[in-house]
Amino acid sequence: GDSCKSMLFGPVLFVVAMILLFWNEGRNVHRLKDLEESMSLVQSLQDTSSISSNMDGMLVHVSGTATTDEYLYDEDFGVTENAL
């Protein structure tokens, strides 16, 4: 009884695992193609003090330091930290 169920469950589990693996690998290939396309379209901005309107709708990359004077406060634990 139980051994027959186990014998049938193993191959079914194997087939389901192969289907999930194939599906996951297909998603990864699609994601890689999307990232490669993005890398060919991205525009890096060196100066972020003024952003040109001709960059509207484009994929841009900026790098810089973020600062704020705001603080976050947790009343339950009495903790105050800079918001960034």
Side-chain angles (χ1 to χ4, degrees), residues 19-69:
I19 291 170
L20 288 174
L21 180 63
F22 182 78
W23 171 75
N24 189 45
E25 290 296 323
R27 288 182 56 223
N28 286 335
V29 168
H30 184 69
R31 183 79 42 171
L32 180 63
K33 288 180 182 179
D34 289 344
L35 289 172
E36 287 173 348
E37 180 183 0
S38 297
M39 288 297 294
S40 68
L41 298 174
V42 69
Q43 300 290 323
S44 290
L45 299 178
Q46 302 301 327
D47 181 20
T48 58
S49 61
S50 64
I51 298 175
S52 175
S53 63
N54 64 356
M55 293 289 179
D56 286 351
M58 296 181 78
L59 180 61
V60 296
H61 168 261
V62 294
S63 180
T65 303
T67 60
T68 183
D69 293 331

Side-chain angles (χ1 to χ4, degrees), residues 2-18:
D2 285 338
S3 62
C4 289
K5 290 178 188 176
S6 297
M7 282 180 45
L8 293 176
F9 182 70
V12 169
L13 186 61
F14 181 78
V15 170
V16 169
M18 289 297 111

